[in-house]
Amino acid sequence: MNELTIHLESRSGAPLYEQIYNYIKNDIQRGQIPAREKLPSTRSLARYLEVSRSTVELAYEQLLSEGYIESVPYKGFFVMEVEDLYQIQAIREPRREGGEKKETCMYDFSPNGVDLKKFPYHVWRKLSKDVLCEDRAELFRLGDPQGEYGLRNVIAAYLHQARGVNCTPEQIIVGAGNDYMLFLLHAILGNGHKAAFENPTYKQAYRLFGRLGYPVCTVDMDKSGMEVEKLRKMDADIAYVMPSHQYPLGIVMPIRRRMELLSWAKEKEGRFIIEDDYDSEFRYKGKPIPALKGFDMEEKVIYLGTFSKSIAPAIRMSYMVLPLPLLEVYRETCRFINPTVSRVDQMILQKFIEDGHYERHLNRMRAIYKSRHDILLGCLKPFSRICRISGENAGVHLLLTFDDGRTEEELIRQAKEQGIRVCGLSSYDAREQKRGKASVILGYANLEEKKIVEAVEILKKIWIP
């Protein structure tokens, strides 16, 4: 073969060498240039296509590196057998017929939202580039099953400074989200336990424990959180609580109730408290109460934390602090379980925290959410004659409990008709029973101040008689 008729687009976004490479590769894959066929020399093809010789050489080098052609000294370039080469064809996404349509709304008061518009993308991009520019092959090998030591070290320092938790990096395990951490915890604890949950509760954890084979039960709450006397009657040896800002009621557990919980755990060997430190980063009034783990002198508290709320849900990075007795069990029985978060992502997050970006981002988001919290509370003042507002001064949602006999379904439907999404408290009831009073949750992380004012004005017209 002395020439190849290749139509080159000089104005195309693709470089000329890439166009030549793609043309020859596609012809080889389709069998239009058979195996053992000799290709034109780089000099003759460059002359024929009226391009520089180096352009053709680049295309041939790429084909050589991928195994499509071979160079025979003093003879030229020849096509190789390609049956064993990977050939990944671009495919069109199949048309989805009758798929589930995502409902859209003008105002979204979902309680699990995060304002991603304020995420420091440029910082994350720069840190990602810095990590990958180091050209360290070990970054792409499996790392420590517990997570990279450097990241665990900065998490330990953060917990000590911000949450009053004294732990070592050796006690910390990093994993891909809270669900994974609970799966791993099940492997550590084994069967034979009964778990008690607050009600209403974080149903994801409640369902997960049930699917893992644990007997589960729920304990009612008062204004201070899980009632310890009722917990004692449940014959449970694991209590799952969210003391910093209970989801969804928004209760901040006072010190006295925390001490009562710790006393319950000490009463019997093998009892543990799982502390889900939900929304602990966002508190707008008063001095933050240290985590329950910070008061744990008997190694009874298993601490769960996540970066999904404080940074972004897609980070998919959570961590667990194990009491020393359970750490020994983990080392003996579960260290063979491979890590679930890439070392690259862990290194990026480590730098994000070490360089002070995490602290600045938290302070910025705390100020933004406080502003929205204050505006929402101010706008809701006219509602005080028909409902009770609770869960304020922490987290990113409020709870409205109505005393006028209306149902949650009615309130949700009226809001939906006006393009407003709100959630009912009943959907978080682990017993799946209808509650006596209608309660709706208003999460404000998704909405900017102007949208909050607009939405509440609409709710006034439809909810206030």
Side-chain angles (χ1 to χ4, degrees):
M1 180 181 294
N2 295 319
E3 59 189 36
L4 288 171
T5 303
I6 304 173
H7 179 65
L8 299 177
E9 290 282 352
S10 58
R11 294 183 180 179
S12 170
L16 294 177
Y17 86 88
E18 191 174 311
Q19 295 181 47
I20 297 169
Y21 152 78
N22 282 323
Y23 180 91
I24 297 174
K25 181 186 77 170
N26 291 336
D27 272 7
I28 293 173
Q29 288 178 343
R30 291 192 295 260
Q32 291 177 324
I33 305 178
R36 294 180 293 279
E37 179 79 17
K38 183 180 180 182
L39 294 180
S41 68
T42 56
R43 188 187 301 277
S44 63
L45 185 57
R47 188 186 306 115
Y48 179 74
L49 297 177
E50 297 182 348
V51 297
S52 69
R53 186 178 177 185
S54 62
T55 298
V56 178
E57 287 174 344
L58 278 173
Y60 277 23
E61 284 173 10
Q62 187 67 31
L63 292 165
L64 273 167
S65 68
E66 294 182 15
Y68 286 100
I69 64 175
E70 65 176 337
S71 175
V72 180
Y74 307 111
K75 290 186 178 181
F77 297 96
F78 293 83
V79 176
M80 296 184 67
E81 297 282 353
V82 296
E83 284 81 1
D84 294 332
L85 293 178
Y86 288 109
Q87 298 182 27
I88 302 173
Q89 303 294 331
I91 59 172
R92 292 183 180 177
E93 186 175 347
R95 231 176 118 188
R96 297 183 182 177
E97 303 264 346
E100 184 179 343
K101 293 183 180 178
K102 188 176 180 180
E103 292 184 8
T104 57
C105 59
M106 286 285 293
Y107 309 97
D108 188 358
F109 280 109
S110 298
N112 54 355
V114 175
D115 188 347
L116 295 177
K117 293 179 182 177
K118 304 298 189 296
F119 180 75
Y121 293 99
H122 63 290
V123 171
W124 198 266
R125 190 160 45 242
K126 181 181 181 303
L127 293 176
S128 304
K129 184 178 177 182
D130 291 346
V131 168
L132 292 172
C133 277
E134 293 175 0
D135 291 335
R136 292 163 52 192
E138 64 267 20
L139 281 179
F140 295 92
R141 297 191 177 97
L142 278 177
D144 191 311
Q146 287 187 233
E148 295 305 295
Y149 190 86
L151 175 60
R152 289 187 281 130
N153 191 46
V154 298
I155 290 174
Y158 164 73
L159 289 176
H160 173 70
Q161 296 166 17
R163 303 299 301 129
V165 174
N166 294 312
C167 66
T168 65
E170 287 75 17
Q171 290 176 262
I172 297 174
I173 301 175
V174 175
N178 274 11
D179 288 355
Y180 167 76
M181 303 314 302
L182 293 178
F183 274 110
L184 181 60
L185 186 57
H186 170 256
I188 296 168
L189 291 172
N191 297 316
H193 297 277
K194 183 178 181 181
F197 288 79
E198 302 158 322
N199 194 50
T201 192
Y202 174 46
K203 286 187 78 172
Q204 181 76 350
Y206 177 83
R207 287 192 295 251
L208 189 57
F209 268 71
R211 293 298 296 170
L212 289 172
Y214 288 120
V216 291
C217 61
T218 57
V219 180
D220 291 330
M221 294 192 293
D222 58 18
K223 63 180 181 179
S224 297
M226 181 182 279
E227 296 186 61
V228 178
E229 286 307 313
K230 291 184 178 180
L231 172 62
R232 285 193 172 94
K233 297 175 183 178
M234 294 296 177
D235 195 31
D237 52 9
I238 295 174
Y240 191 106
V241 295
M242 292 172 277
S244 294
H245 190 245
Q246 200 274 342
Y247 186 82
L249 292 184
I251 294 170
V252 178
M253 187 181 289
I255 295 290
R256 182 171 180 176
R257 181 60 53 84
R258 297 181 188 217
M259 296 299 105
E260 291 173 358
L261 262 178
L262 288 171
S263 295
W264 167 84
K266 287 190 293 183
E267 287 169 3
K268 202 171 183 180
E269 188 68 28
R271 280 183 179 174
F272 291 99
I273 299 168
I274 299 175
E275 177 183 15
D276 186 343
D277 207 19
Y278 180 78
D279 269 358
S280 63
E281 299 88 358
F282 304 114
R283 184 171 176 84
Y284 316 122
K285 185 178 179 181
K287 190 176 180 180
I289 300 175
L292 180 63
K293 179 68 177 172
F295 299 101
D296 179 26
M297 299 293 108
E298 305 290 331
E299 300 291 335
K300 289 290 186 178
V301 178
I302 302 160
Y303 180 94
L304 293 178
T306 180
F307 295 101
S308 294
K309 200 80 172 178
S310 58
I311 299 181
I315 295 296
R316 300 306 302 149
M317 219 177 299
S318 296
Y319 52 92
M320 175 167 61
V321 181
L322 288 177
L324 292 175
L326 291 183
L327 178 62
E328 292 303 317
V329 177
Y330 166 77
R331 287 172 172 168
E332 292 172 6
T333 62
C334 297
R335 268 193 66 85
F336 69 92
I337 300 174
N338 287 323
T340 54
V341 181
S342 82
R343 301 181 77 184
V344 174
D345 289 342
Q346 291 185 61
M347 289 284 291
I348 294 168
L349 180 58
Q350 178 184 331
K351 287 181 174 290
F352 189 72
I353 299 173
E354 281 179 338
D355 295 351
H357 302 297
Y358 183 56
E359 180 183 348
R360 288 190 287 272
H361 177 63
L362 270 185
N363 289 334
R364 184 186 184 201
M365 297 313 298
R366 190 180 290 115
I368 289 171
Y369 290 153
K370 182 183 185 304
S371 173
R372 295 175 186 179
H373 162 274
D374 293 347
I375 286 173
L376 179 56
L377 272 179
C379 292
L380 289 174
K381 284 181 179 178
F383 286 75
S384 59
R385 62 186 176 89
I386 62 168
C387 68
R388 179 169 52 86
I389 301 168
S390 58
E392 67 272 30
N393 299 323
V396 288
H397 73 271
L398 300 176
L399 182 67
L400 275 59
T401 303
F402 290 78
D403 299 315
D404 56 1
R406 280 182 287 182
T407 64
E408 283 182 15
E409 291 82 1
E410 181 184 0
L411 294 166
I412 293 169
R413 177 184 55 77
Q414 290 174 340
K416 184 178 179 181
E417 289 172 354
Q418 300 298 319
I420 302 173
R421 179 182 289 131
V422 298
C423 297
L425 183 61
S426 291
S427 61
Y428 296 91
D429 194 312
R431 299 169 191 158
E432 298 186 352
Q433 297 175 349
K434 288 194 175 181
R435 305 183 72 82
K437 295 180 180 179
S439 299
V440 295
I441 303 167
L442 298 184
Y444 46 86
N446 280 331
L447 293 172
E448 295 181 352
E449 286 83 348
K450 181 182 176 182
K451 290 279 190 180
I452 291 174
V453 174
E454 292 173 359
V456 176
E457 283 300 315
I458 297 171
L459 293 176
K460 282 181 190 176
K461 295 175 183 176
I462 61 175
W463 282 356
I464 298 181

